[in-house]
Amino acid sequence: MITKILVANRGEIARRVFRTCREMGIATVAVYSDPDADAPFVLEADEAVPLGGSTPGETYLRGEAVLDAARLVGADAVHPGYGFLSENADFARQCHKHGITFIGPTPEAIEAMGSKLTAREIMQAAGVPVLPGVDLTDVPDDEVRAVADEVGWPVLVKASFGGGGRGMRVVRDPDGLLEAIASARREAGAAFGNDTVFLEHYVDEPRHVEIQIFGDQAGTIVHLNERECSIQRRHQKIIEESPSPVVDQPLRDRMGEAAVEAGRTLGYVGAGTVEFLLAPNGDFYFLEVNTRLQVEHPVTELVSGLDLVRLQIEVAAGAPLPPEAHAPQLHGHAVEARLYAEDPANDFLPAAGLIRRFEVPDVPGVRVDAGVVSGDRVSTNYDPMLAKVIAHGATRAEAISRLVRALRRARVDGITTNRSLLVGILEHEDFAAGRIDTHFLDRVEPRDLIEVEGADVEQAALLSTALADQADERASAKVLAHVTSGFRTARSQLNVRGYRRGDREVQVGYVLGRGARFEVDGVPVEAVVHSCTPDAVDLVVDGVRRRIGVVRYGEDRYVSWADGTIELRVVPRFPESADHLDPGSLVAPMPGTVVRVNVAAGDRVTAGETVVVVEAMKMEHAITASMDATVASVPVAPGAAVDTGTVLIVLTEDEEADDD
């Protein structure tokens, strides 16, 4: 019997495991890094042990430190969550060696599937279909092209020990192949401690469909149906659902049988996921086995009625799989959206900073697994996922509708997120019709999806913001505080305020009282204002009455109504002089660490050439030359920590380019 579980992880998965532990009456222990000292998962645990340090390598990846913590508090089991040590066979062995139950599969199964190359060989021998692929270890650069030709173009450079889209690069022509391999190796080495990569044939327009498997210590292997995970960015899932809109029962049976056979081959125990590519013609191919709980496990829980974390704990304690796991049902439909701290309109750059407000409304049929609360700070040391919002409904359409409503009403102030993108995807006609594949966000421009939200409410939101700001100034005025907000003695002259929404600057004009008038960018707006306070404006615009809330933090405005929100920034009436930057300066687009500098002062570069690589939130970001130029100076070096706006490279435009 397991009595105390240490969760060797952080954020939302730690909180998720703790929730089931509390329901089962099991004591809980957290381990934490310095940046996570006040994180919600730490405060929710019965006990917590500091690991010291900030980066994953200093904290959550230190297996011996985690085991020391378990021994210190007398934990008799460790749940690894996902990521970090969850697929580390040596860590699982060390747990067993010290008499601590590792809540996961055997070290042998983890080891066999830890290398995607080994996994391919095992599955191929077991009769599970695989794609053509070749290990690049010891393959000279001058032979790589021939290997790619053999595999078949396009090719995918893939980290053998990778996951979560890290260490993966799609290459469609030979010119970028060597650089893609080098970049994938660096990213894999930094994220997983092993830079082995291989080439695999890349299937265009595939679906990503995975099968949840479970095994117990008596040798029983079952599958719990499929999840569709095709909506991805940078090979990382952002929307998942169960069941798949294109998997019928015969295909479900075939994929399930292949997944169970994979589990039998491994002697699998615990929760695992067999991932497949589903080609447009209905053929499917083995990708990998994730020997752990998946991020997207809630959609399986909602349609099956099973608590997968409870099953993990029970199986680890020696219990057989319950009868309901042998014949899992599909009750309705579930859809999950991953809420990330990132900017989809700017190549999905990760965002860091203070979350001033985090609220997801209580909507029927919606579950929220969050790792953050209001007041938390997002660090660049870890993955940028803030929360998972999961909706369940009797039909796919109902589940999507509930999820959209919850996301539209979510309030995440102080940090850029992908919330609007998620809404745009879920409301897109192709998604609604189930016409999706892993290239969805290649075909549909993220900016177009983001701009959909709030378009019909923008005038009301802008006008409300200006009026609320005026009311706030009057409320805090030290003189004539009794004067009603928004009035002018000269009726022809409007009050004017400027706001920036994304890349656009908008001017809002208004005057209240008898003969009230309103304008947005010089265009008259028909409006009736019922009430106006610094926090909310009740008004009618274009015949629709709304109550619009305004929250301000410095110059930032978060403007929300019943089913949406937009972010604005005040345009100063008297702008201060901008900090001076030398012409040709290339700056860091986000906080991170410089991992590579490709140039030195005096080098010639061409437009689009990668000059610096910055790593943030476990992903590499290439900084490219903006023009044909000569490198004037290189103010940074590998290993340097940089903030947003830090000058990385200064270029001087080539005179030859001017002559052309």
Side-chain angles (χ1 to χ4, degrees), residues 103-159:
I103 301 177
T106 64
E108 292 74 22
I110 296 173
E111 198 160 59
M113 295 297 100
S115 164
K116 290 183 173 63
L117 283 165
T118 303
R120 285 170 47 85
E121 295 168 1
I122 293 173
M123 292 303 126
Q124 194 166 20
V128 180
V130 300
L131 288 164
V134 175
D135 183 3
L136 291 177
T137 303
D138 299 327
V139 176
D141 286 353
D142 59 1
E143 296 180 17
V144 167
R145 166 69 186 275
V147 170
D149 291 342
E150 178 186 341
V151 168
W153 295 91
V155 296
L156 179 65
V157 182
K158 201 170 183 180

Side-chain angles (χ1 to χ4, degrees), residues 36-356:
D36 282 340
D38 296 316
F41 78 94
V42 177
L43 303 180
E44 288 177 8
D46 297 326
E47 298 172 291
V49 180
L51 295 173
S54 299
T55 67
E58 296 168 342
T59 55
Y60 302 106
L61 288 172
R62 292 177 58 217
E64 190 56 42
V66 171
L67 287 171
D68 287 344
R71 292 192 293 268
L72 177 66
V73 297
D76 52 1
V78 168
H79 193 301
Y82 45 72
F84 297 131
L85 296 169
S86 64
E87 295 177 284
N88 186 310
D90 288 339
F91 178 69
R93 285 195 184 94
Q94 289 300 309
C95 285
H96 295 317
K97 178 181 176 181
H98 289 90
I100 297 171
T101 299
F102 177 80
I103 301 177
T106 64
E108 292 74 22
I110 296 173
E111 198 160 59
M113 295 297 100
S115 164
K116 290 183 173 63
L117 283 165
T118 303
R120 285 170 47 85
E121 295 168 1
I122 293 173
M123 292 303 126
Q124 194 166 20
V128 180
V130 300
L131 288 164
V134 175
D135 183 3
L136 291 177
T137 303
D138 299 327
V139 176
D141 286 353
D142 59 1
E143 296 180 17
V144 167
R145 166 69 186 275
V147 170
D149 291 342
E150 178 186 341
V151 168
W153 295 91
V155 296
L156 179 65
V157 182
K158 201 170 183 180
S160 182
F161 293 86
R166 300 180 185 93
M168 295 175 66
R169 302 288 187 276
V170 177
V171 186
R172 297 188 176 276
D173 60 73
D175 291 344
L177 183 57
L178 291 178
E179 171 57 27
I181 292 169
S183 177
R185 279 180 170 146
R186 286 191 304 273
E187 192 167 270
F192 310 109
N194 189 307
D195 66 357
T196 302
V197 298
F198 65 100
L199 286 188
E200 187 174 75
H201 177 64
Y202 187 72
V203 177
D204 272 314
E205 300 182 0
R207 288 176 177 264
H208 186 127
V209 178
E210 61 191 29
I211 303 290
Q212 176 74 61
I213 63 171
F214 239 100
D216 63 22
Q217 295 183 31
T220 303
I221 308 287
V222 301
H223 78 82
L224 306 180
N225 297 314
E226 84 281 357
R227 295 185 289 256
E228 169 93 44
C229 308
S230 296
I231 302 295
Q232 304 178 4
R233 58 97 173 98
R234 291 178 172 171
H235 307 291
Q236 193 167 38
K237 307 159 190 173
I238 56 174
I239 293 177
E240 303 101 347
E241 59 183 308
S242 182
S244 166
V246 298
V247 174
D248 57 18
Q249 195 58 48
L251 179 56
R252 180 173 296 119
D253 290 340
R254 293 198 304 274
M255 296 183 79
E257 288 168 7
V260 168
E261 185 58 37
R264 287 198 190 100
T265 301
L266 296 169
Y268 204 85
V269 176
T273 300
V274 185
E275 301 198 348
F276 295 102
L277 278 183
L278 179 60
N281 65 0
D283 292 338
F284 60 90
Y285 303 94
F286 171 80
L287 278 176
E288 61 182 328
V289 176
N290 286 305
T291 53
R292 53 171 168 80
L293 196 67
Q294 291 280 84
V295 177
E296 57 273 19
H297 75 275
V299 295
T300 295
E301 293 186 321
L302 290 176
V303 296
S304 70
L306 298 169
D307 181 334
L308 299 193
V309 174
R310 175 183 284 268
L311 286 185
Q312 283 187 297
I313 295 170
E314 291 175 344
V315 164
L321 287 167
E324 54 268 29
H326 290 258
Q329 302 299 306
L330 284 171
H331 300 289
H333 202 100
V335 187
E336 172 181 294
R338 301 190 191 185
L339 188 63
Y340 280 101
E342 64 184 14
D343 186 358
N346 193 15
D347 197 28
F348 296 97
L349 284 177
L354 179 65
I355 302 174
R356 297 184 180 274

Side-chain angles (χ1 to χ4, degrees), residues 462 465 469 473 496-508 554-557 568-576:
L462 285 162
T465 305
D469 280 351
E473 290 177 6
V496 178
R497 294 175 183 270
Y499 298 94
R500 182 172 294 279
R501 184 185 183 193
D503 297 331
R504 290 191 302 122
E505 185 175 318
V506 184
Q507 297 294 316
V508 181
E555 301 303 300
D556 295 323
R557 303 290 182 267
L568 302 172
R569 187 169 181 81
V570 174
V571 176
R573 296 181 181 180
F574 305 102
E576 297 179 2

Side-chain angles (χ1 to χ4, degrees), residues 298-494:
V299 295
T300 295
E301 293 186 321
L302 290 176
V303 296
S304 70
L306 298 169
D307 181 334
L308 299 193
V309 174
R310 175 183 284 268
L311 286 185
Q312 283 187 297
I313 295 170
E314 291 175 344
V315 164
L321 287 167
E324 54 268 29
H326 290 258
Q329 302 299 306
L330 284 171
H331 300 289
H333 202 100
V335 187
E336 172 181 294
R338 301 190 191 185
L339 188 63
Y340 280 101
E342 64 184 14
D343 186 358
N346 193 15
D347 197 28
F348 296 97
L349 284 177
L354 179 65
I355 302 174
R356 297 184 180 274
R357 178 171 62 159
F358 182 84
E359 297 174 2
V360 181
D362 185 11
V363 175
V366 172
R367 161 179 161 181
V368 180
D369 287 9
V372 299
V373 295
S374 299
D376 280 354
R377 184 170 291 278
V378 178
S379 166
T380 59
N381 291 313
Y382 311 114
D383 187 271
M385 189 171 72
L386 304 176
K388 301 177 305 194
V389 185
I390 316 103
H392 181 255
T395 65
R396 184 172 186 263
E398 184 177 66
I400 292 171
S401 178
R402 286 176 167 175
L403 183 54
V404 167
R405 186 168 179 80
L407 289 170
R408 280 194 174 279
R409 294 188 168 206
R411 305 293 178 248
V412 187
D413 297 349
I415 195 166
T416 302
T417 75
N418 67 336
R419 186 190 59 83
S420 294
L421 174 67
L422 295 171
V423 171
I425 293 170
L426 292 165
E427 292 190 328
H428 194 276
E429 60 182 5
D430 284 349
F431 185 87
R435 295 189 298 267
I436 55 176
D437 56 58
T438 58
H439 296 293
F440 180 86
L441 287 177
D442 296 326
R443 293 192 306 274
V444 183
E445 173 59 45
R447 283 179 178 269
D448 294 339
L449 293 167
I450 294 167
E451 289 170 358
V452 168
E453 187 182 17
D456 59 335
V457 190
E458 185 176 69
Q459 284 190 333
L462 285 162
L463 183 55
S464 296
T465 305
L467 296 177
D469 280 351
Q470 176 76 29
D472 181 61
E473 290 177 6
R474 294 310 307 150
S476 58
K478 298 185 183 301
V479 294
L480 299 178
H482 63 283
V483 176
T484 306
S485 173
F487 282 80
R488 276 193 180 275
T489 54
R491 310 303 302 166
S492 62
Q493 187 177 0
L494 297 174

Side-chain angles (χ1 to χ4, degrees), residues 511-636:
V511 62
L512 297 176
R514 184 178 299 175
R517 290 191 298 125
F518 309 98
E519 289 184 357
V520 174
D521 269 350
V523 178
V525 177
E526 293 294 327
V528 175
V529 179
H530 288 277
S531 65
C532 176
T533 71
D535 302 320
V537 177
D538 182 351
L539 79 173
V540 178
V541 173
D542 293 332
V544 179
R545 184 171 178 175
R546 294 182 176 90
R547 182 173 174 82
I548 295 180
V550 180
V551 178
R552 55 185 61 78
Y553 308 105
E555 301 303 300
D556 295 323
R557 303 290 182 267
Y558 291 84
V559 189
S560 58
W561 56 99
D563 287 315
T565 184
I566 62 174
E567 301 172 21
L568 302 172
R569 187 169 181 81
V570 174
V571 176
R573 296 181 181 180
F574 305 102
E576 297 179 2
S577 299
D579 293 336
H580 176 71
L581 282 179
D582 291 331
S585 295
L586 303 180
V587 301
M590 71 289 179
T593 302
V594 176
V595 295
R596 185 161 56 102
V597 177
N598 289 350
V599 296
D603 288 352
R604 292 279 302 280
V605 296
T606 58
E609 179 180 344
T610 298
V611 292
V612 177
V613 177
V614 176
E615 183 184 85
M617 293 178 172
K618 303 181 184 178
M619 298 292 288
E620 284 192 358
H621 303 272
I623 311 301
T624 60
S626 55
M627 56 187 172
D628 294 344
T630 298
V631 178
S633 64
V634 183
V636 296

